[in-house]
Amino acid sequence: MPHAFQDILGAETTPTLCYAIPAYSAFIDLWKKQIEDYYQWEPIIQPGIDKLEDYQGRLNDSPAYVVAMGKSLLDILITKLMCE
């Protein structure tokens, strides 16, 4: 899971900041499911969840995320208009 998460956020060919918050949420949900399935690993998994939630909170406070969302939407609209 961590490798796939890093691949999503580290892609070079597509703007990925717009995927950051959904990716963090999905990754946190997956790890919480791991705790339910493997409760004995909770002391190892929970600190990772806590760190991800901290980073996710920082993204929510960042104006760069809003700009990236606007840029991605603008790119989609321009591409759509050019193809019509």
Side-chain angles (χ1 to χ4, degrees):
M1 285 187 298
H3 182 69
F5 179 67
Q6 188 274 333
D7 280 349
I8 290 170
L9 296 180
E12 293 181 16
T13 58
T14 57
T16 58
L17 188 57
C18 61
Y19 302 124
I21 290 178
Y24 274 93
S25 295
F27 194 41
I28 290 167
D29 291 344
L30 285 171
W31 269 11
K32 286 181 178 179
K33 174 103 173 76
Q34 293 297 314
I35 288 176
E36 291 173 13
D37 294 343
Y38 306 100
Y39 62 89
Q40 69 273 22
W41 295 105
E42 189 271 341
I44 296 169
I45 297 171
Q46 188 59 52
I49 291 172
D50 295 342
K51 183 58 84 171
L52 287 169
E53 288 175 340
D54 178 49
Y55 285 140
Q56 186 180 35
R58 292 178 190 186
L59 281 174
N60 288 336
D61 294 337
S62 172
Y65 179 75
V66 175
V67 170
M69 288 300 295
K71 173 94 170 91
S72 295
L73 292 174
L74 182 60
D75 288 344
I76 291 168
L77 289 172
I78 290 171
T79 303
K80 182 176 169 125
L81 291 172
M82 291 176 67
C83 292
E84 289 181 348

